[in-house]
Amino acid sequence: QVQLVESGGGLVQAGGSLRLSCAASGLTFSRYNMGWFQQAPGKEREFVAAITWSGGSTYYADSVKGRFTISRDNAKNTVYLQMNSLQPEDTAVYYCAADRNLGRLQTMSFRYDYWGQGTQVTVSP
């Protein structure tokens, strides 16, 4: 079965960096666009970033543009989220997701077919 497993979360001070990874199995990874979402306590899941199947195109939420970078390695079936200049408002559980439709990058969570279990990111002031 399809599995997406996130890792790399943790506690970091404001201004610090973290790199999240999401390892995929049970699917042909290079046939999926991939996305990252965040969910803070009491809030809905929100789009963070997405990348096309080839890695040739990316899209970011305005709140993370210039600070976060999404990338992928199809040989390793892994998508990454490099997070720099982290702020307390970035505190959330971060989820990776896979979208089998290889058209435009999607920002709505219901467009994604598979989800990981999430990894906690906590940014202290």
Side-chain angles (χ1 to χ4, degrees), residues 10-115:
L11 174 64
V12 64
Q13 286 188 328
S17 298
L18 283 174
R19 188 194 196 203
L20 306 184
S21 299
C22 171
S25 61
L27 52 73
T28 305
F29 184 68
S30 60
R31 289 178 168 263
Y32 285 77
N33 292 345
M34 298 297 294
W36 284 97
F37 288 75
Q38 65 180 192
Q39 188 165 18
K43 289 189 154 185
E44 292 189 355
R45 197 167 294 189
E46 296 181 342
F47 171 77
V48 174
I51 188 167
T52 53
W53 62 274
S54 65
S57 183
T58 58
Y59 187 72
Y60 297 91
D62 287 344
S63 60
V64 306
K65 208 172 290 183
R67 299 188 300 124
F68 291 10
T69 302
I70 188 172
S71 62
R72 67 189 294 161
D73 185 340
N74 285 349
K76 295 183 178 179
N77 286 1
T78 301
V79 62
Y80 304 97
L81 186 68
Q82 177 67 44
M83 305 187 295
N84 298 330
S85 302
L86 283 161
Q87 299 301 318
E89 52 264 36
D90 296 317
T91 295
V93 177
Y94 284 74
Y95 298 90
C96 71
D99 176 13
R100 69 165 63 97
N101 294 304
L102 299 183
R104 61 181 294 178
L105 293 172
Q106 299 293 338
T107 63
M108 305 300 290
S109 60
F110 70 87
R111 296 287 188 184
Y112 287 78
D113 302 289
Y114 301 107
W115 291 84

